[in-house]
Amino acid sequence: MKLRRAAAWLLWWAIPVLAWAQQPAEMKPVTDRLAASIYNGPSVATLGELADGIGGRLTGSPAYVRSTEWAAAKFRSYGIENVKLEPFTIPAGWQRGTATGAMLAPLARPLNLASMGWAPSTPAGGVQGTVVVVADVAPEGLKSRAGELRGKIVLLDTTRIYADGYGKALPKMEAAWLTFQKAGVLAVVFADRDKNNVLNAHSVGWGAKLLPLPAAEIGMEDAKLIQREMERGPVIIQFTIENKTSGETTVNNVVAEIRGSERPEEWILIGAHLDSWDFGTGAQDNGTGAISVLEIGRALMSLGKAPRRSVRLALWGGEEQGLLGSYAYTQTHLDELDKCVAVLNTDNGAGHPKGWKVEGREDLKKAMQPWSDGLLKDLNGGELSTDTTYDTDHGPFLLQGIPALDLSVDMTHYFEIHHKSSDTIDKVDALDFKAGEAIVAVTAYAIAQNETPIAPHIDHAAVGEIVKKAKLEDLLVNVGVWKP
Ligand SMILES: [Zn+2]
């Protein structure tokens, strides 16, 4: 009797465990074919077409437009029929022109300088003025300094301004621009954070809005020199930037769909941003991610039979200006997000892969574990991390309560190239790149094919808990994508 009861207990527990454990094994013959197709596939050559053939793809620029047409044609060449360019608008278009600058006094020497993204051009002949450091942009203090700021060039001490986090500083910075403008500040300069006067392409605001004043970044050592010279006396600098700007601009996301073979109304989405900054050719930020999405489309089509659920393949614009394309998608497709089973994003470079970030969701981590152990471990993708960020395009989906996964890779060397002129294809390790692609492909297939959804959607309050725990509330509220 005792033995029978024990056996019954064992059976009771073993059945669900076996069901879990068997699913990855059942899918393995197919996912092995998928991974093999990726490893033997043309991703490196395709990345060459994008990074070297089209180059940097600043959102809204002619190069970005070319990249969307190129990507749509690629999807079609793989036999995917449902391919669309889906438009959204950004407040302003911006393209970089030329930038030169120099310290005039006390030393005469050139400055390593570039325009800040979405900065207007300087007046003809440039701006020239004495440098004043502003380390606190609290409105009252800044207004009391208005007289002192007139006709000057402000060097913003961003280390102090962003000390309490970027999100908290955002509204203060927005107000500060207007105070500077009213006070008659000529221009604003920022010190870059990287040594050797290396410059990182970036903008200071959120959402592709034109800055009210000309703004430039200066190499770290140059900025330090300016500050040391200021202890000895006034420092005069001069700079000229010429950019092309336009008003509200339409930008396209590229979205392709492979219809599911059994439950086509349910879908998963694999996404990566196609836009890049313009110093380099956007090879790893995010050429490798974008090519992964294309490659997974090609490899899935090569299987001959689609998984149960539909797979949407999305290439976003406007990521670098604040996840604008993916956010727009969640708003345009709001009424069908309940049918989205999961979102997989890849945008952390092509370092040696680790696995997935499950964005704060312990339940998703638990649900993913059998797949990580059964299918992804052997591909170098078995790790699961609950780290939560709003730094790339899984973010808007996370806020909708959708299970959102972001590919996790070794980022030790990523910031040596990130947003820099060295973000070029020669830094891409083909094997690490393909390993990352294979992990995304296999995970996507497993989630799209599995009998039950990987994890449920969570409600607003539960998302709020994740947002709070990750200390993202200030940022999300201040950029207008979240109401607690
Ligand atoms: Zn990126």
Side-chain angles (χ1 to χ4, degrees), residues 273 275 284-286 319-320 347-348 391-392 414 418-419:
H273 71 89
D275 70 299
Q284 284 190 73
D285 190 14
N286 184 23
E319 191 274 350
E320 298 292 4
D347 178 25
N348 290 317
D391 59 348
T392 177
Y414 184 56
H418 179 246
H419 293 193

Side-chain angles (χ1 to χ4, degrees), residues 76 88 162 339 484:
R76 291 190 186 107
F88 64 98
Y162 294 133
K339 296 273 188 279

Side-chain angles (χ1 to χ4, degrees), residues 56 114 135 149 236 255 264 340 434 449 457 459:
L149 298 175
I236 300 169
V255 185
C340 177
K434 290 188 175 199
Q449 176 69 9
H457 284 207
D459 64 15

Side-chain angles (χ1 to χ4, degrees), residues 108-377:
R109 47 175 287 123
L111 291 172
N112 292 282
L113 171 146
S115 174
M116 194 54 87
W118 270 257
S121 302
T122 49
V127 288
Q128 180 178 323
T130 308
V131 180
V132 179
V133 173
V134 170
D136 184 2
V137 287
E140 303 74 33
L142 207 55
K143 273 177 195 149
S144 71
R145 289 183 71 185
E148 177 204 344
L149 298 175
R150 183 169 310 280
K152 304 288 192 334
I153 293 178
V154 164
L155 171 60
L156 273 180
D157 183 346
T158 45
T159 327
R160 301 234 331 247
I161 290 167
Y162 294 133
D164 295 332
Y166 177 76
K168 260 208 173 89
L170 262 177
K172 282 192 219 164
M173 270 298 295
E174 257 175 45
W177 282 107
L178 301 177
T179 310
F180 291 152
Q181 200 177 23
K182 258 197 200 153
V185 167
L186 294 179
V188 178
V189 292
F190 298 76
D192 207 298
R193 61 169 192 270
D194 273 298
K195 62 180 184 184
N196 301 329
N197 279 320
V198 167
L199 299 176
N200 290 276
H202 66 293
S203 51
V204 278
W206 188 279
K209 287 177 261 178
L210 208 61
L211 295 172
L213 288 171
E217 55 175 314
I218 292 179
M220 182 214 269
E221 285 81 359
D222 282 355
K224 282 184 173 172
L225 176 62
I226 290 173
Q227 283 179 286
R228 283 199 306 277
E229 295 291 356
M230 283 177 73
E231 288 168 17
R232 304 154 76 101
V235 174
I236 300 169
I237 66 168
Q238 181 279 336
F239 72 90
T240 307
I241 54 176
E242 264 182 88
N243 299 314
K244 228 191 240 176
T245 60
S246 61
E248 197 173 84
T249 301
T250 300
V251 177
N252 287 319
N253 292 323
V254 185
V255 185
E257 188 182 58
I258 299 172
R259 295 288 284 172
S261 55
E262 287 176 31
R263 288 181 221 154
E265 71 292 348
E266 291 178 23
W267 48 282
I268 70 152
L269 185 143
I270 312 168
H273 71 89
L274 180 61
D275 70 299
S276 75
W277 273 105
D278 56 343
F279 282 176
T281 61
Q284 284 190 73
D285 190 14
N286 184 23
T288 46
I291 301 306
S292 301
V293 175
L294 287 168
E295 262 297 276
I296 292 161
R298 184 196 60 74
L300 282 171
M301 290 302 284
S302 78
L303 293 178
K305 191 189 173 195
R308 281 198 176 96
R309 298 184 182 82
S310 295
V311 177
R312 293 192 186 173
L313 303 149
L315 296 171
W316 313 118
E319 191 274 350
E320 298 292 4
Q321 288 69 48
L323 325 184
L324 306 180
S326 52
Y327 180 76
Y329 188 88
T330 60
Q331 301 308 299
T332 315
H333 295 265
L334 205 53
D335 61 350
E336 54 161 349
L337 291 184
D338 58 332
K339 296 273 188 279
C340 177
V341 168
V343 169
L344 275 53
N345 183 66
T346 164
D347 178 25
N348 290 317
H352 195 63
K354 297 204 247 180
W356 290 105
K357 279 166 56 203
V358 295
E359 305 300 324
R361 288 192 53 177
E362 292 290 348
D363 65 325
L364 182 55
K365 186 179 176 191
K366 215 169 154 192
M368 275 296 294
Q369 199 68 59
W371 304 101
S372 296
D373 292 343
L375 295 176
L376 303 177
K377 214 194 226 157

